[in-house]
Amino acid sequence: MTSGIRFDGVTVRYGDTTVLDALTLTVGPGEVMALLGPSGSGKTTALRAVAGFVQPSAGRVHIGERDVTDLPPYKRGIGMVVQQYALFPHMRVDENVAFGLKARKHPRAEVPGRVAEALEMTGMGAYAKRHPRELSGGQQQRVAIARALAIRPDVLLLDEPLSALDAQLRSGMLAELARLHRELPDVSLLYVTHDQVEALTLADRIAVMDKARLQDCGTPQELYRRPRTEFTASFVGNANLLPVRVAADGVDFAGTALKVPVDGAAPGAAATLCVRPHLVGLGDGPNALRGRISEVQWRGATHRLYVDVGGHRVKADVRELRDTPPLGQEITLHFAPEDAVLLAAGVNDG
Ligand code: ADP
């Protein structure tokens, strides 16, 4: 069965505070959607509105064709995984995984098979008789995922599922989640995270949240290459955000004329030019900028140079330097016109 999630103007208020502001968003059947944003931006609230733990003040939530806004959580066909595993400490692993099936009064005879299947999928088949305290954090999270999958949900909700794990385990679990999703191609995933690497790695599309609102939504590539807002540009990847003034066939930046696509922006208007630091090259070229090195960070594969250009700081991540250049050295940087994206000033404030 295929499903998907639809938020239709979903608003959540606590007293006078709006913590989710008219969210409209569709997660397709089998799609992985990441909700990405800083802490407090409303991501968990959106996820809990799908789960049924938060009642919207306005708007509707659909799962597949069903309007689930007024349904209790256990009738929504969702599996949920949270950061803190939330396993029952007094129950064995297999009992934990069976819990959701028993709570839903699933036919008893089928329960052991479902439990074994879910544990097998998460690589935890050998641990069925252990208690959670006998497992590592990563193993506990696998059990929590198995428990969510045992009910064969249409929709899997994941709320910062890797945050409690250390960095190395996190990257292994990310690959595991990607594999699980390939094995369950019809299940829609809504994945809450503040970590752009998780979102870029796992998601088919990313919904960028800030201040209770959806700011931007697109594939990871779209958001990285063509961000629509300053917020997206800086939150998804690293960015130079240069204050510029629109000219006839480009922009003016710190007294230098730059050729970049202006897409009909009004000449004379203030705007922001987004250029990714790894797309800024050393030496002369199109859109050359002269400045002085104000800071250097050696990062193994690259040097991050901070260059003062007419009082503005430009970041460049360059690979070709053998030695770390001295501070204060004059330097020329350049970037290709097609690697710059013009953002209207203040578009993020609306
Ligand atoms: P995120 O998941 O992006 O960190 P949340 O959705 O958890 O953000 O929270 C959004 C905002 O809503 C936060 O400012 C939080 O303090 C507030 N909030 C969440 N739950 C409640 C609640 N039950 N009562 C009052 N405020 C809440």
Side-chain angles (χ1 to χ4, degrees), residues 239-326:
N240 285 297
L241 295 172
L242 310 176
V244 296
R245 200 157 283 285
V246 179
D249 58 349
V251 297
D252 180 272
F253 167 62
T256 305
L258 301 174
K259 278 212 174 346
V260 298
V262 292
D263 298 331
T272 300
L273 193 68
C274 168
V275 188
R276 300 294 183 185
H278 74 276
L279 298 173
V280 177
L282 279 184
D284 223 349
N287 293 332
L289 297 169
R290 263 195 100 59
R292 269 181 206 284
I293 298 176
S294 61
E295 199 184 324
V296 182
Q297 293 168 348
W298 180 68
R299 299 186 170 190
T302 59
H303 280 87
R304 157 70 57 92
L305 307 181
Y306 293 87
V307 178
D308 183 326
V309 177
H312 300 282
R313 198 166 76 157
V314 177
K315 295 175 281 189
D317 289 338
V318 297
R319 297 188 161 273
E320 56 269 45
L321 285 173
R322 275 198 162 270
D323 301 312
T324 301

Side-chain angles (χ1 to χ4, degrees), residues 14 19 38-45:
Y14 293 109
V19 301
S39 178
S41 54
K43 309 181 298 293
T44 295
T45 302

Side-chain angles (χ1 to χ4, degrees), residues 30 34 37 44 50 61 68 101 112 115 131 146 177 290-291 317:
T44 295
V50 179
V61 179
V68 299
L101 294 167
V115 169
H131 279 86
L177 285 172
R290 263 195 100 59
D317 289 338

Side-chain angles (χ1 to χ4, degrees), residues 42-167:
K43 309 181 298 293
T44 295
T45 302
L47 179 126
R48 290 172 67 82
V50 179
F53 301 131
V54 163
Q55 192 58 30
S57 317
R60 311 300 297 176
V61 179
H62 289 79
I63 296 179
E65 297 304 312
R66 291 186 305 155
D67 182 334
V68 299
T69 319
D70 300 316
L71 284 185
Y74 69 93
K75 288 197 175 161
R76 295 188 179 203
I78 49 143
M80 188 154 167
V81 178
V82 298
Q83 183 182 335
Q84 304 83 2
Y85 326 134
L87 300 177
F88 300 110
H90 59 284
M91 288 185 191
R92 293 191 318 250
V93 163
D94 55 355
E95 292 166 335
N96 264 285
V97 176
F99 182 83
L101 294 167
K102 289 187 174 157
R104 285 170 178 77
K105 310 245 185 297
H106 200 80
R108 262 171 183 281
E110 284 180 23
V111 171
R114 285 284 197 97
V115 169
E117 174 192 84
L119 285 175
E120 221 41 64
M121 286 189 94
T122 56
M124 289 300 291
Y127 298 85
K129 302 300 173 199
R130 293 214 192 167
H131 279 86
R133 65 173 177 276
E134 300 170 291
L135 303 176
S136 71
Q139 290 170 333
Q140 289 186 53
Q141 193 57 305
R142 284 166 192 264
V143 175
I145 294 168
R147 183 175 59 183
L149 293 178
I151 64 159
R152 294 192 185 155
D154 299 327
V155 164
L156 188 59
L157 305 175
L158 300 131
D159 189 358
E160 304 266 6
L162 309 183
S163 300
L165 308 177
D166 65 51

